[in-house]
Amino acid sequence: MQDTDTHNTASNSLEGMAGPIPQAPKGHSGGQQVIVIGAGISGLCSAWFLQQQGYDVLVLEAGACVGGNLQTVQRDGCQFERGPNSFINNRQAMADLIKGAGLEEEIVLANAAAHRRYIGKHGKLIALPSKPLEAITSKILPWAGKLRVAKEPFVGQSAGEETIAQFATRRLGKDVFDWLIDPFISGIYAGDPSKLSIQAAAPKLFALEQQHGSLIKGAWAQIKARRAATGPKLDGAMMSFKSGLHQLMSTLADQLLNPVQVNTQVESVSYSQDHGYMVRSGDTIWQAEKLVMAVPAAQVARLIEDLPTPNEPQLVAAQKQLRSIEYPAVATISLAFEKGQIQHPLDGFGALIPSKENKQTLGVLFPSSIFPDRANANQHIFTVFVGGGRGHQAMQLTPDERLDLVLEELHSYLGIDGQPLWSEESYWPAAIPQYTLGHLQKVAEIDQALAHLPGLYLRSNWRDGVALGDCVEQAQALALQIVDEDVEDK
């Protein structure tokens, strides 16, 4: 990091800069120019929603293709996802995006059986209860654990920040945490619930306690509110697209007036009041009035290096906070088998493996059971997630060793006979950001350090929620926020 005087001088002058004269995005809308760095779900959705509001948007992507971890693969008559597998129709922003992009006819609904979920316990898969009576008779929780849940409405609130493990154990008891909450959180974050903040990682759950004093009371209040609500309602169905989730990404990219610039690693960003934001990649410099950084936290830390600041220590502290956000490695392994090789019917969405099972495997999805036409008629496909917060040992293995590991760990759960017809691993060295204790304070400090820069926005899953729906919702909110700010400035 440079000293303050040099830092500000270099960022507010074009003198001495190599490369061509800065150029604005060459769009057709005639609106204000916006550059978006990153063509994952947050970046592409932000760009698309901004273009819908009349802005002239250019997206720069370091990789060879758009979509981030939303990548769909077709192989040997089968189709599977390298990352997220589906989304739930419970976000108006997603519904708006699908309709606006003309993708309504491309929607594929999950099979009815996909609503069944399994939990691994003592080497067997047990279906999660879907009805109150099933919850009473289910073998997932011992009777002591079920009785402990009845005390939940009488548990007091916590005075300070807690981990998910602390929160869930305090309110629901250790059995519920061990066999239900722990695998559920691992399925979302691939993380350690004893490190993740309940306020940051599960804000809706935390809000039930704050607003109603009880999770049970809060859940019942939500049910009554939904029943009383009038007007059109989203049905909460599980969905994908005919060509997989990457179809959404490729469609959005195709609809942008300015083609996404792939293989474009942004090397530096500077700002001045006269020229706005200047974004450099190689010998090319783009200029825009507004800049959206939709990239991982460590990349944001690098990109803000040369931005002017009235408080150098504050900016350095923000960079340190950004670099401190953990992204554990995760591998997804997709495998195909003849149906006769698998004893379990795979009649559900998939299975989660609690930490108490002492496995490196986090869980397994059943894509060929979730959506139609994902596999050949006589075959099963499943996708295994391994690593994350508790699977560090697995990530030290070779891909062949990881395959052997998951086959061994899943054998008793699924009844696997023999080797897969084929397998394909996707290795994500920095998979899902971890919202550990103090995460919200980190984000607040980062925002404060950059608050003096007009037209700079941060949108990514390290701050906006890690679910696909969260990213779309926050992208739409960003576009509307920018519109409101521009109206106020006029």
Side-chain angles (χ1 to χ4, degrees), residues 68 77 108 193 204 254 296 362 365 391-392 397 446 465 477:
V108 177
K204 293 180 180 179
D254 289 344
L362 302 173
L365 300 181
H392 301 294
L397 304 176
I446 294 163

Side-chain angles (χ1 to χ4, degrees), residues 17-19 265-269 278-286:
M17 296 182 68
Q265 175 71 56
V266 173
E267 295 159 6
S268 66
V269 175
M278 287 159 285
V279 179
R280 178 196 295 271
S281 177
D283 291 333
T284 304
I285 301 173
W286 292 273

Side-chain angles (χ1 to χ4, degrees), residues 29-37 42-59 97 252 255-258 290-294 455 457 459 472 474-486:
S29 66
Q32 291 190 15
Q33 289 109 20
V34 183
I35 290 176
V36 177
I37 303 176
S42 293
L44 279 181
C45 288
S46 295
W48 190 89
F49 281 121
L50 283 165
Q51 181 174 278
Q52 293 296 102
Q53 296 295 330
Y55 290 89
D56 187 359
V57 188
L58 176 68
V59 180
L97 180 68
L252 297 182
Q255 292 181 3
L256 295 177
L257 297 177
N258 294 306
K290 303 180 190 298
L291 176 65
V292 179
M293 294 185 183
Y457 305 93
R459 272 295 172 267
V472 174
Q474 292 300 318
Q476 184 185 56
L478 173 64
L480 297 177
Q481 173 191 339
I482 291 176
V483 169
D484 289 343
E485 290 174 354
D486 285 347

Side-chain angles (χ1 to χ4, degrees), residues 47 53 120 143 162 171 174 181 267 279 284 309 340 364 390 433 479:
Q53 296 295 330
W143 277 107
E162 290 181 297
R171 295 219 63 89
K174 194 170 188 309
I181 304 298
E267 295 159 6
V279 179
T284 304
T309 176
V364 54
R390 74 167 190 245

